[in-house]
Amino acid sequence: MPLSRFKTNFSFIFPSVTCALMIQVSSAWSPIVVKDVTELGPQITPKVTDVSRDGGYSVTLNDKIIWLYDDTECLDHGGKQLSFVSNTAAFAREPDGNVSMLQDFGIEAAGKDSKTGKTAYAILADTSVATGGWIPFSPDELDYNQRKKNVQRVAIWPGTSPTPYSTTQAFLFAPLVYVDSKPQDPSKEYQARGMTLISISAPPSGPVASRQGDLIIPGTEVAFGGFASLLGYTTTAQTQDLSNRDVYMLGMTNSGLQLARARVERLTDFSAYSFWDAVQLKFKNTPPKPDEQDYRKIYLPGTFSSGNVFYSPYFNTFIMVYFNKLVDSTFRVRFLDLNSPVGNDTIWPKRGKRGKGIAPEDAEAIVKYAWSPEQELYRSPQGKGGFNYAGMAHPEYFNRQYYAPSLYPGGTSASDRRNPWFGSKVVSAKDAEEDGKHLMLSWTSQLRGGLNNGIYQVQLAKVEFDAVPESPEGNFPSAAASSSTLAFSLASSTFGPTPTPTISRSSSSPIRPSSTALTSTGSAGRNARRPCNDECFFLCSSLAASIGVVLVSAFWDL
């Protein structure tokens, strides 16, 4: 979405946000120091004539990396559209070699290329934006799209990375969106239908997505899970049985992130969800208002447009990597600060659970400790069409501890609870020294902006972290110190079925917390001709017709 298409309105000023940031974040010390960034170039689909798509989310299942995308348009060399669908998926073709190469599925001949005269190839050439994509439409959605052809359509955008619930299956909350192809009122171009739940598997024939019900979270509620979902132990049962797990779901609003929780077997029942009350510091049955502006009632105040949360074995805590709503193409990062407990819970004191750190299964920790201040991680290079969007981290690369140990089948030895090392041609496991010391990033680059003829491409880069500096209060214990000694077992789930040249940029100094934060909300046009960056604004904009801008001075030294 070109910058010129923004309509800015400075009347939405929320002075209370400053206080929100002061309450919700911890001290200014950070373990995160960037040593080097290597640009790896664009993703490549060799068998497709030309492809323009955005998003770029990932999950590893069956030792295969699955990449997910939002709107995907295939073109011939003359720019003629060959196919257009609202989502696609691919395997990483050479995850341990050329990490940019993709293996797409559903590639079909699509007639003669209008420029070369040769056969052109497209993804899902026999499927229209109204009839499907990788994630299937329900019968009602198919009927709606046929009745509203060229007027309005239902789209399904993955929006974030899936969450594994075993080494072979994952789940994803994906937004259902009504897209008006010719809106008279820009504020009504996108209307939230709500969130649907997807289960994902990875047979050799290609990634498979299955809908788990139709509308799970209504469009009148916060889009929980649209930013990230974490699978963790329940508060009362620290067992390895998958049925005894909670899912923590983060959803974006104009004012920050809100949090919901549900038992894994109740994910399809929104009435079974509970919601974090940031005032009373406990989960309650009443959901927050999507337009809540009182910072005291927001789990994490701030501005977010895309990102994810994951456990880092290098930092021994949860990490949040994201783009905020500034159009500056910059990755931000926060870490869950185990030296900053929230409240006086004796089980969750300083330095982690019972003072012994946290494990990947300890998702409950995200309500027991404060998030650190926002730091700049990496400013990605912009394409010719304007700013980047859909910034994501991909912790399955350069990391043999991607899965929580309890996700492996029962009887798996501790030494075998490791996934393969992905990315050896970029950095080997030996040279990397530690899991998670390197991190893959992706973003959508606008090669050519424009309302009807934009071209979009997912780009990659690798961040290398430096040694963790000593904290004044001591660094966090390792995850091993807090791991459960219970025997591992896995219950059945209730879910259904040529390398690019690199440019290295180094920095020997730590990245610093931002001194200011700028919040903006808004939406911009998309039509059925092209993908653009509206998904990353959609969930957190409430379809605002203008952009509210808030300039906040953030005082980090509390």
Side-chain angles (χ1 to χ4, degrees):
M1 170 179 58
L3 225 78
S4 60
R5 294 179 56 207
F6 278 100
K7 295 181 179 179
T8 306
N9 184 325
F10 289 89
S11 64
F12 299 102
I13 305 297
F14 309 121
S16 61
V17 173
T18 300
C19 298
L21 292 170
M22 294 178 67
I23 289 175
Q24 293 291 330
V25 300
S26 63
S27 62
W29 171 84
S30 174
I32 302 174
V33 181
V34 174
K35 181 178 181 180
D36 182 86
V37 179
T38 303
E39 295 170 14
L40 301 173
Q43 290 189 320
I44 302 168
T45 301
K47 292 186 178 182
V48 177
T49 303
D50 198 3
V51 63
S52 171
R53 58 185 172 191
D54 54 5
Y57 321 103
S58 65
V59 64
T60 294
L61 300 173
N62 283 338
D63 294 341
K64 298 179 183 295
I65 296 176
I66 303 172
W67 283 85
L68 287 64
Y69 303 94
D70 300 326
D71 279 354
T72 301
E73 180 183 27
C74 292
L75 310 163
D76 70 8
H77 289 108
K80 177 184 176 182
Q81 185 184 91
L82 302 175
S83 67
F84 185 93
V85 292
S86 67
N87 58 79
T88 52
F91 283 152
R93 181 174 173 177
E94 301 175 16
D96 207 33
N98 185 347
V99 296
S100 298
M101 297 289 282
L102 296 173
Q103 180 185 357
D104 269 284
F105 297 87
I107 298 175
E108 302 162 358
K112 297 295 184 181
D113 190 293
S114 63
K115 185 174 183 180
T116 67
K118 297 180 180 180
T119 301
Y121 293 90
I123 303 167
L124 301 176
D126 62 348
T127 305
S128 74
V129 71
T131 60
W134 176 65
I135 300 172
F137 285 126
S138 69
D140 287 346
E141 291 159 356
L142 289 170
D143 178 68
Y144 182 89
N145 282 348
Q146 290 300 321
R147 289 187 290 106
K148 296 287 187 175
K149 188 175 181 179
N150 298 324
V151 177
Q152 194 175 62
R153 66 179 171 105
V154 174
I156 305 175
W157 294 326
T160 191
S161 290
T163 302
Y165 60 91
S166 74
T167 60
T168 62
Q169 291 184 296
F171 68 86
L172 170 71
F173 283 93
L176 294 165
V177 189
Y178 291 116
V179 182
D180 192 339
S181 60
K182 297 179 181 179
Q184 299 298 313
D185 181 351
S187 69
K188 296 179 180 179
E189 183 166 6
Y190 309 103
Q191 299 182 57
R193 183 167 185 259
M195 303 294 284
T196 188
L197 183 62
I198 314 296
S199 66
I200 300 169
S201 58
S205 57
V208 175
S210 302
R211 296 280 291 274
Q212 302 302 309
D214 179 16
L215 190 64
I216 306 301
I217 302 175
T220 53
E221 304 288 350
V222 174
F224 293 107
F227 182 79
S229 295
L230 295 172
L231 182 67
Y233 294 134
T234 64
T235 300
T236 56
Q238 307 295 305
T239 73
Q240 306 300 321
D241 190 331
L242 184 61
S243 64
N244 289 321
R245 296 299 174 87
D246 283 331
V247 177
Y248 292 79
M249 296 156 281
L250 290 164
M252 294 179 285
T253 73
N254 284 340
S255 302
L257 297 178
Q258 296 285 30
L259 179 64
R261 184 177 69 182
R263 294 292 291 267
V264 68
E265 70 271 20
R266 301 293 301 277
L267 280 185
T268 59
D269 181 4
F270 188 64
S271 68
Y273 288 26
S274 58
F275 310 92
W276 183 248
D277 185 320
V279 175
Q280 299 187 26
L281 300 180
K282 65 180 182 180
F283 284 95
K284 301 177 69 174
N285 293 329
T286 305
K289 296 182 295 185
D291 59 352
E292 182 62 70
Q293 297 176 10
D294 186 344
Y295 70 88
R296 295 168 299 179
K297 299 179 180 180
I298 299 169
Y299 168 72
L300 183 60
T303 166
F304 304 86
S305 66
S306 65
N308 50 345
V309 179
F310 55 92
Y311 183 87
S312 168
Y314 186 67
F315 296 111
N316 300 313
T317 189
F318 289 100
I319 301 294
M320 181 186 295
V321 176
Y322 60 98
F323 272 12
N324 62 21
K325 294 186 204 174
L326 280 177
V327 288
D328 62 358
S329 307
T330 301
F331 284 88
R332 267 78 179 184
V333 63
R334 298 174 189 253
F335 65 95
L336 194 67
D337 190 348
L338 305 188
N339 286 325
S340 297
V342 176
N344 298 306
D345 194 321
T346 57
I347 297 177
W348 303 92
K350 280 189 176 183
R351 299 175 62 79
K353 194 173 186 178
R354 297 184 176 87
K356 297 180 179 180
I358 59 174
E361 291 90 349
D362 289 324
E364 187 181 2
I366 68 171
V367 297
K368 300 299 182 180
Y369 298 94
W371 286 99
S372 69
E374 180 177 275
Q375 299 174 243
E376 286 193 5
L377 179 64
Y378 168 59
R379 178 162 294 191
S380 58
Q382 293 187 5
K384 293 181 180 180
F387 61 88
N388 303 328
Y389 62 97
M392 296 293 295
H394 305 274
E396 60 268 55
Y397 288 92
F398 322 119
N399 176 19
R400 291 159 297 193
Q401 300 179 60
Y402 171 69
Y403 297 117
S406 59
L407 297 187
Y408 287 87
T412 305
S413 66
S415 61
D416 289 335
R417 294 178 188 272
R418 294 287 187 273
N419 54 276
W421 180 273
F422 297 119
S424 291
K425 289 292 180 66
V426 179
V427 58
S428 69
K430 180 180 178 181
D431 291 339
E433 299 174 345
E434 295 184 58
D435 290 319
K437 186 178 180 182
H438 299 253
L439 180 64
M440 182 75 80
L441 301 178
S442 76
W443 62 92
T444 297
S445 174
Q446 301 186 77
L447 302 187
R448 184 177 70 203
L451 179 61
N452 296 317
N453 60 353
I455 302 295
Y456 302 87
Q457 194 174 57
V458 174
Q459 302 270 345
L460 304 177
K462 177 189 69 67
V463 171
E464 179 183 1
F465 297 110
D466 212 335
V468 176
E470 186 67 28
S471 165
E473 300 185 68
N475 293 340
F476 309 145
S478 67
S482 65
S483 296
S484 172
T485 58
L486 294 171
F488 289 102
S489 63
L490 190 63
S492 62
S493 168
T494 57
F495 290 124
T498 320
T500 306
T502 61
I503 302 172
S504 181
R505 298 176 178 175
S506 301
S507 173
S508 58
S509 60
I511 51 180
R512 302 296 184 187
S514 304
S515 59
T516 61
L518 182 66
T519 303
S520 63
T521 66
S523 63
R526 168 197 295 272
N527 72 15
R529 170 76 175 91
R530 63 148 183 112
C532 69
N533 59 335
D534 304 307
E535 300 88 339
C536 60
F537 286 89
F538 169 73
L539 294 177
C540 47
S541 69
S542 297
L543 310 174
S546 57
I547 298 173
V549 179
V550 180
L551 185 62
V552 181
S553 296
F555 301 95
W556 300 119
D557 297 320
L558 307 183

